[in-house]
Amino acid sequence: TNDRILVRAIEPKDEEAWNKLWVEYQGFQKVVMPLEVGKTSFARFLDPTVKLWGALAFDTETGNAIGFTHYLSHLTSWNVEEVVYMNDLYVTEYARVKGVGRKLVEFVYKHADELGTPSVYWVTDHFNHRAQLLYTKVAYKTDKVVYKRIGY
Ligand code: ACO
Ligand code: ACO
């Protein structure tokens, strides 16, 4: 089934397929985002002047979009070059544990290499064990704890 999976950068024609997955992802994250957030993010994925990118995974036999990743690049006081932050990763329920998530992460790694910013990091909920079954195979777990300004 692995060669049935294609991962590529998001294109303008993908908006409807992407949005369907984006809504599913919000359900998983137990949030409802204003429509404007999705519209803005999608436009930014396509804007060559904005360093926020999106990629979709497809089942090449059905043509269905089955997952996405969103990632960005930012400055850091720790490197000369920027680092890449993977903001989101999602695979639709029926397509899970078939290697789609791994292919999406590998796509981010490849793009990060091409950009000359090979360092990639992300955060996940400590209780998201399913995601961590993948993450422990493609990355290492840091000792860091994440804090956020209260109210944001
Ligand atoms: N025991 C041992 N290993 C297991 C088990 C298990 N029970 N189940 C799965 N695995 C392993 C698989 O063998 C596989 O490893 P492999 O590549 O070496 O074979 C790995 O875990 C799963 O990898 P994929 O199949 O590539 O992952 P999948 O396509 O299922 O996607 C994902 C994983 C994205 C976490 C998916 O479950 C999902 O979308 N979940 C809901 C949303 C979510 O949690 N997103 C991540 C939020 S964190 C963030 O966005 C940065
Ligand atoms: N028990 C309970 N509370 C304590 C104790 C103690 N033993 N010791 C200190 N505190 C409290 C203080 O009361 C104070 O709280 P308050 O503002 O309510 O009075 C708080 O802890 C300390 O606050 P500050 O005095 O403002 O902090 P300080 O100037 O000591 O700076 C810092 C803290 C930056 C972590 C300093 O210890 C440091 O530089 N450590 C080494 C480097 C480091 O760890 N940096 C953070 C890395 S993470 C990152 O960079 C994002």
Side-chain angles (χ1 to χ4, degrees):
T1 56
N2 216 273
D3 38 334
R4 271 179 67 169
I5 306 161
L6 168 80
V7 177
R8 63 155 173 80
I10 280 178
E11 296 174 7
K13 66 179 184 217
D14 298 326
E15 186 155 18
E16 201 182 317
W18 172 80
N19 199 58
K20 187 167 174 285
L21 295 170
W22 179 237
V23 169
E24 283 181 27
Y25 182 64
Q26 290 175 59
F28 170 80
Q29 296 285 5
K30 298 186 170 59
V31 294
V32 181
M33 295 194 199
L35 281 176
E36 194 194 355
V37 174
K39 285 243 172 269
T40 302
S41 294
F42 193 84
R44 285 175 174 159
F45 301 149
L46 301 172
D47 183 340
T49 69
V50 176
K51 291 190 275 190
L52 178 71
W53 299 278
L56 278 171
F58 292 89
D59 178 333
T60 54
E61 271 180 31
T62 62
N64 291 334
I66 51 177
F68 62 63
T69 179
H70 309 144
Y71 53 102
L72 56 100
S73 173
H74 67 79
L75 290 169
T76 168
S77 52
W78 278 46
N79 277 339
V80 173
E81 62 275 12
E82 297 192 347
V83 291
V84 171
Y85 174 65
M86 187 169 68
N87 212 150
D88 303 296
L89 181 70
Y90 182 73
V91 174
T92 198
E93 190 109 29
Y94 74 84
R96 287 180 194 160
V97 204
K98 293 187 170 88
V100 181
R102 177 186 277 265
K103 283 225 168 177
L104 285 161
V105 173
E106 286 170 352
F107 182 91
V108 175
Y109 286 176
K110 185 161 172 284
H111 192 194
D113 287 343
E114 288 162 5
L115 291 164
T117 57
S119 175
V120 180
Y121 76 104
W122 60 91
V123 302
T124 194
D125 292 312
H126 67 86
F127 51 79
N128 192 344
H129 298 122
R130 185 174 50 190
Q132 290 174 65
L133 284 170
L134 170 63
Y135 297 164
T136 55
K137 291 177 172 173
V138 295
Y140 71 93
K141 187 178 178 179
T142 73
D143 293 329
K144 303 298 180 193
V145 179
V146 180
Y147 283 87
K148 271 184 106 171
R149 185 179 187 177
I150 295 166
Y152 294 90

